[in-house]
Amino acid sequence: MQTLTIIQPDDMHLHLRDGEALKAVLPFTARQMGRAVIMPNLKPPVVSVADALAYKQRILAALPEGSTFEPLMTLYLTDKSTPELVREAKAAGIVAFKLYPAGATTNSDSGVTDLFKLIPVLEEMAAQNILFLVHGEVTDPEIDIFDREAVFIERVMKPVLEKVPGLKVVFEHITTADAARLVMEAGDNVAASVTPQHLLLNRNDLLVGGVRPHHYCLPVLKRESHRKVLVAAVTGEKSHKFFLGTDSAPHAQSAKENACGCAGMFSAATAIELYAEIFENAGALNKLEAFASKNGARFYGLPENPRTITLVKRPQQVAPKVPFGNGDALVPMRGGESVSWTVEY
């Protein structure tokens, strides 16, 4: 039976929510990831150092006994963020600020309305070597939802990189050939996280045969041609600039299966197994370890995890749903179906 042992991976883009939801989903990540970069879009958002440190303590308190998992905390960038806040965040061990353009995704109502007014804040991030995590979409209603990422690159990303050339940027959950090209052509200060859904699925998986709400995420799934370019990017010559970031975003089944438009896919239950399937299908299993366990750590200036995990080429059935606290259920990515790899815990 085929086995693959790799350095324990990190999830460089993770939503854990809070309260009972946090307790329900955290164990899935903690059992296979050494660390995770925790997104700050709670209600209310994590906008101060005190908010982030309190949230970190709630995460640590919810960990299974004996877990060595480490949450890496971020702050939610707002129109009121200041250079002083950047310095305070750096001193407290906060690893990054996250840009949510106002209205772009779940809990983004407090997001930035004009990034160019925050150039002094970005310059201080560059000076402090604190990362800038970018949800790269414009939100103008006249822009087609499938074009929002490409337009953001031209209107926002390229000008910002020119204005603050020393800024260390992670283009989060990229979905298009345009974004992959930008990252590959940019300097070593620009990298990208890539989700399992954007490497496995295209917009047909969302829309053909009826809308599949559990495949609805933002940025939305794109054309098959874009998916193929993303797979080529994470396995190709510039693959060191891309790393694992699930964007695992849990929403209750009752919330996904109604008109609320909850955007997010919960992939944490079998995250590394899904990525193994992607890399195997691309004939690039030998590059999985770098993508999952090395590239992100290096870009964040972190040591590689001291432990390893072992994957076995043995299909496993993904549970159709898992408990989500307060009587709710959560439908995992590939729920009720199988993945072709299994982690030996």
Side-chain angles (χ1 to χ4, degrees):
M1 183 175 291
Q2 185 178 1
T3 64
L4 178 66
T5 298
I6 63 172
I7 296 167
Q8 188 177 27
D10 294 315
D11 188 344
M12 294 309 194
H13 185 128
L14 179 68
H15 298 269
L16 285 176
R17 310 306 186 206
D18 211 345
E20 293 303 309
L22 164 65
K23 296 174 184 176
V25 301
L26 176 59
F28 292 105
T29 293
R31 67 178 181 173
Q32 56 177 234
M33 303 291 173
R35 297 168 291 217
V37 177
I38 310 301
M39 294 298 106
N41 59 332
L42 301 181
K43 283 188 174 181
V46 179
V47 298
S48 72
V49 169
D51 291 339
L53 296 181
Y55 187 27
K56 182 176 183 178
Q57 288 306 309
R58 297 196 297 276
I59 294 168
L60 294 173
L63 281 171
E65 186 175 354
S67 174
T68 59
F69 173 79
E70 180 186 0
L72 304 172
M73 306 310 294
T74 65
L75 291 185
Y76 189 117
L77 190 70
T78 74
D79 290 341
K80 296 180 180 179
S81 298
T82 63
E84 291 75 19
L85 177 60
V86 175
R87 291 190 287 272
E88 184 186 353
K90 180 68 175 182
I94 306 300
V95 300
F97 280 73
K98 177 62 183 278
L99 169 69
Y100 291 103
T105 188
T106 303
N107 299 346
S108 62
D109 294 345
S110 301
V112 171
T113 56
D114 184 352
L115 184 60
F116 295 100
K117 292 181 178 179
L118 293 175
I119 292 298
V121 179
L122 302 184
E123 290 173 337
E124 189 62 31
M125 287 185 207
Q128 296 294 332
N129 194 31
I130 194 166
L131 275 68
F132 183 44
L133 314 183
V134 176
H135 182 118
E137 293 188 289
V138 296
T139 56
D140 311 48
E142 71 273 13
I143 302 298
D144 189 296
I145 192 170
F146 292 103
D147 296 330
R148 287 180 171 186
E149 186 172 274
V151 173
F152 180 91
I153 289 169
E154 298 302 323
R155 285 189 184 177
V156 182
M157 184 72 98
K158 288 181 178 179
V160 165
L161 289 173
E162 288 178 4
K163 289 177 181 292
V164 195
L167 186 63
K168 206 167 185 180
V169 177
V170 181
F171 201 160
E172 298 274 38
H173 46 49
I174 63 169
T175 68
T176 60
D178 311 74
R181 188 180 312 113
L182 172 84
V183 173
M184 289 187 285
E185 292 176 354
D188 289 339
N189 60 311
V190 180
S193 63
V194 195
T195 75
Q197 61 264 31
H198 293 112
L199 291 167
L200 282 167
L201 305 174
N202 61 42
R203 63 190 190 181
N204 280 1
D205 296 297
L206 172 64
L207 298 169
V208 171
V211 176
R212 300 181 68 180
H214 296 286
H215 284 176
Y216 174 54
C217 58
L218 288 172
V220 72
L221 298 171
K222 303 297 195 300
R223 290 181 180 273
E224 174 65 3
S225 58
H226 290 293
R227 188 196 69 81
K228 288 180 176 178
V229 170
L230 294 184
V231 172
V234 303
T235 59
E237 184 180 348
K238 295 287 187 76
S239 59
H240 64 283
K241 302 198 76 179
F242 302 90
F243 43 78
L244 187 158
T246 62
D247 193 21
S248 183
H251 292 280
Q253 181 179 11
S254 58
K256 289 288 285 183
E257 296 176 4
N258 69 23
C260 84
C262 290
M265 297 177 65
F266 176 66
S267 58
T270 55
I272 194 61
E273 297 95 323
L274 289 165
Y275 283 110
E277 195 174 287
I278 292 159
F279 278 74
E280 181 185 32
N281 291 342
L285 263 179
N286 61 320
K287 293 193 172 182
L288 175 64
E289 182 179 57
F291 174 82
S293 314
K294 295 183 176 184
N295 298 348
R298 181 178 61 250
F299 195 77
Y300 274 77
L302 301 169
E304 294 171 5
N305 288 311
R307 296 173 177 78
T308 60
I309 65 168
T310 297
L311 289 140
V312 178
K313 184 64 184 297
R314 182 176 66 236
Q316 63 167 304
Q317 194 78 6
V318 181
K321 59 184 71 175
V322 297
F324 193 43
N326 299 319
D328 285 325
L330 178 65
V331 177
M333 186 173 175
R334 202 70 76 78
E337 302 174 30
S338 65
V339 292
S340 56
W341 289 82
T342 300
V343 176
E344 282 195 337
Y345 291 109

